Amino acid sequence: MTRGPLLHGEMMRLRPIEARDSERLWEAVQDPEGTRLTGTTAVFTRDQIDEWARAVSDRPGRYDWAICPAAERDGKPVSDELIGEIVLNDLDEDVRSANLRLQLLPNYRGRGYGREAIAEVLRFAFDGVDGEQGLGLHRVSLDVLSINPRAQALYESLGFRVEGRLRDIYRDGDTWADAIVMSILEDEYRAMQD
């Protein structure tokens, strides 16, 4: 079981995805802009999404977090509702690497939630958080579509570097889009923290 720890930033909290998140995950796969910008071409049934939400946090080799607003009242979260998801998957303990994936629901894009979620996940991946041991990774990678320069700029601002380009690997309507392969290494991450 790879349930991840609870992670906290100033404006968001990360908790493992649970069955109660299926409605919001269903909304995410129905969002045309979100699926376009992430290159999602699969079509899912509601039952598939329900099963995914119920079981994904227990799958080995990955950590799947719900991004939730951090606002609190009387020391308790105002809302524990998923506004996006962030994932570390393809974990390889031998080479100490993983892949990162992020998706936010439409009303929460461009507001800083993604930046903070990535920063917290990278901290967990490389160093650990709040006294919890991290994963001790050496490398975290991702790919971003060439039609999403805003996301590429975000990743670069967090220390990710372009490694290469997979040409015409995704369909974008009647045209094609490249995947830009990016990564951050543990020493690059630590240099960004200094």
Side-chain angles (χ1 to χ4, degrees), residues 100-145:
L100 183 130
R101 187 173 57 77
L102 168 78
Q103 183 174 13
L104 289 164
L105 290 168
N107 292 342
Y108 301 95
R109 293 182 192 132
R111 295 173 55 185
Y113 291 107
R115 170 180 297 281
E116 196 170 83
I118 294 168
E120 288 302 308
V121 168
L122 289 177
R123 194 158 61 110
F124 171 66
F126 292 120
D127 290 333
V129 292
D130 300 329
E132 280 218 35
Q133 182 175 342
L135 297 176
L137 295 184
H138 174 67
R139 179 178 188 273
V140 174
S141 63
L142 57 83
D143 66 298
V144 60
L145 296 187

Side-chain angles (χ1 to χ4, degrees), residues 13-173:
R13 294 174 299 105
L14 302 179
R15 61 166 174 78
I17 289 189
E18 301 172 354
R20 64 185 164 128
D21 297 315
S22 65
E23 181 64 35
R24 298 298 286 227
L25 292 170
W26 178 247
E27 286 178 40
V29 298
Q30 303 304 308
D31 170 33
E33 180 185 13
T35 56
R36 176 179 178 253
L37 293 177
T38 58
T40 303
T41 56
V43 176
F44 302 97
T45 66
R46 181 57 197 259
D47 287 343
Q48 288 172 313
I49 297 298
D50 290 347
E51 174 58 21
W52 180 259
R54 186 191 64 72
V56 71
S57 289
D58 294 329
R59 291 184 176 203
R62 60 185 300 131
Y63 291 86
D64 293 74
W65 287 278
I67 303 170
C68 305
E72 292 186 356
R73 186 177 306 124
D74 300 323
K76 295 188 176 187
V78 172
S79 170
D80 205 31
E81 191 167 50
L82 177 147
I83 61 171
E85 65 175 320
I86 188 164
V87 177
L88 271 180
N89 61 2
D90 298 333
L91 277 164
D92 186 324
E93 293 177 7
D94 292 329
V95 295
R96 297 175 34 222
S97 70
N99 179 71
L100 183 130
R101 187 173 57 77
L102 168 78
Q103 183 174 13
L104 289 164
L105 290 168
N107 292 342
Y108 301 95
R109 293 182 192 132
R111 295 173 55 185
Y113 291 107
R115 170 180 297 281
E116 196 170 83
I118 294 168
E120 288 302 308
V121 168
L122 289 177
R123 194 158 61 110
F124 171 66
F126 292 120
D127 290 333
V129 292
D130 300 329
E132 280 218 35
Q133 182 175 342
L135 297 176
L137 295 184
H138 174 67
R139 179 178 188 273
V140 174
S141 63
L142 57 83
D143 66 298
V144 60
L145 296 187
S146 57
I147 59 172
N148 197 352
R150 193 168 109 189
Q152 182 179 347
L154 168 64
Y155 300 138
E156 287 174 339
S157 75
L158 288 163
F160 284 85
R161 296 185 184 180
V162 174
E163 293 186 333
R165 179 180 291 261
L166 303 173
R167 298 178 307 139
D168 287 356
I169 196 164
Y170 288 105
R171 290 291 301 199
D172 182 31

